Amino acid sequence: SLGLGGTVSLACATTSPSIACALSPSSLSLPTSGAQKLSAVEIDTHQGEGHSESSEKHKAAPGQYKVVITATDAGVVHTLLLNVTVQ
């Protein structure tokens, strides 16, 4: 558990305004028994509704981006760095 226990808050941030990320759920209640619970991260390279021609102008340009996921619990903070490639 890397020192995390109880209610853990999750957040994500990206290096580009053209990439959005969301966590589901955004908080977890970790049991003390050491059992694991999971949260899913969704990364979207399109800002706006759908993927129409009008939303293409908001598409992230091809390249390397970073998504940082942060987990916090009572002052304990862990981060996970994800590298995202947009082609």
Side-chain angles (χ1 to χ4, degrees):
S1 70
L2 301 174
L4 297 172
T7 301
V8 176
S9 297
L10 302 171
C12 64
T14 69
T15 57
S16 169
S18 298
I19 295 179
C21 64
L23 292 159
S24 178
S26 60
S27 68
L28 300 170
S29 184
L30 296 179
T32 57
S33 65
Q36 302 265 333
K37 291 197 175 188
L38 300 175
S39 177
V41 60
E42 179 179 323
I43 299 170
D44 186 2
T45 59
H46 290 271
Q47 294 290 309
E49 297 297 320
H51 299 287
S52 65
E53 277 186 36
S54 63
S55 70
E56 285 298 309
K57 65 183 175 184
H58 300 291
K59 182 179 179 182
Q64 296 283 326
Y65 298 92
K66 296 188 185 316
V67 173
V68 179
I69 298 174
T70 306
T72 58
D73 162 45
V76 177
V77 178
H78 288 285
T79 57
L80 172 66
L81 177 64
L82 301 176
N83 292 308
V84 177
T85 301
V86 176
Q87 298 180 335

